[in-house]
Amino acid sequence: IPYSLGVLITIFVFITLINAYNLIDGIDGLASGVGIIISLCFVYIFYRIFDYGIGILAISTIAVLLGFLRYNLSKEFKIFMGDTGSMVIGFILTFMAIRFVYISESSNLGLTTAPALLLFIFVIPILDTISVFTIRILNKRSPFSADKNHLHHQFLKLGFTHIQTSIIIMLINIFFVII
């Protein structure tokens, strides 16, 4: 594709994935758990394609999210990621995704399925965003208005706790990564 179109697509992907990751930060442990799973995928990917610098970034992201998760799930010392935290993590994960696509396109590694692989790795943020925006538009509301139609809210309505919901959604993400 032409360079200018590639830049526009990259900007669109950054904005979309950062905000999609921000949208899943609605219950305790979900954003950090999904971030850990995505980062683990990138550790493996960058190890296999010999990009150890970005692999270390992925390991560092896991370490940060594990440290955060401890206090996010704590009853006594509870902290929240917030919009800034989820957007920073979303930016880092999106940067690693774009780097993977760039390396797969520019090298002789034979990785022609990198974009499809990334769809499976980012399945939870992407599907949640698409479903929530679709529901809002069908209800003639702004796609950017707040509501309780997120995937995690649906599990909470079924009677699951925050931790159970986070674990179920993380298992779904792992299932798609394995596929």
Side-chain angles (χ1 to χ4, degrees):
I1 62 174
Y3 178 77
S4 57
L5 180 60
V7 169
L8 291 175
I9 291 171
T10 302
I11 291 169
F12 175 76
V13 168
F14 261 101
I15 291 170
T16 302
L17 285 181
I18 289 169
N19 285 297
Y21 189 78
N22 181 39
L23 288 175
I24 66 167
D25 184 28
I27 60 172
D28 295 339
L30 182 58
S32 53
V34 169
I36 290 168
I37 292 166
I38 293 171
S39 295
L40 282 169
C41 293
F42 284 131
V43 168
Y44 177 76
I45 287 169
F46 289 117
Y47 173 76
R48 297 283 298 176
I49 62 176
F50 309 107
D51 192 351
Y52 301 124
I54 304 299
I56 290 172
L57 175 63
I59 291 170
S60 300
T61 304
I62 293 168
V64 166
L65 290 173
L66 284 171
F68 168 80
L69 189 60
R70 175 181 178 206
Y71 293 101
N72 184 233
L73 298 177
S74 170
K75 294 201 184 293
E76 188 176 345
F77 302 108
K78 173 124 3 234
I79 61 172
F80 299 101
M81 189 176 289
D83 288 343
T84 304
S86 62
M87 289 183 144
V88 167
I89 298 299
F91 177 85
I92 292 168
L93 297 175
T94 305
F95 168 76
M96 289 189 279
I98 298 294
R99 174 74 177 174
F100 173 52
V101 170
Y102 173 75
I103 288 174
S104 66
E105 296 287 325
S106 64
S107 67
N108 296 327
L109 297 173
L111 295 171
T112 58
T113 60
L117 180 61
L118 290 173
L119 287 175
F120 282 91
I121 291 172
F122 282 89
V123 68
I124 296 300
I126 291 171
L127 283 181
D128 185 58
T129 301
I130 290 171
S131 68
V132 166
F133 276 29
T134 302
I135 291 168
R136 290 173 185 169
I137 291 169
L138 290 175
N139 289 331
K140 298 182 184 349
R141 295 180 50 222
S142 167
F144 304 106
S145 63
D147 61 18
K148 300 246 182 203
N149 289 319
H150 292 277
L151 182 60
H152 53 270
H153 290 126
Q154 302 308 316
F155 279 101
L156 291 173
K157 285 179 189 173
L158 292 173
F160 293 103
T161 66
H162 281 223
I163 294 174
Q164 290 170 332
T165 299
S166 295
I167 290 171
I168 291 168
I169 294 173
M170 289 186 300
L171 289 173
I172 292 169
N173 200 350
I174 290 169
F175 173 75
F176 277 93
V177 167
I178 291 170
I179 288 177

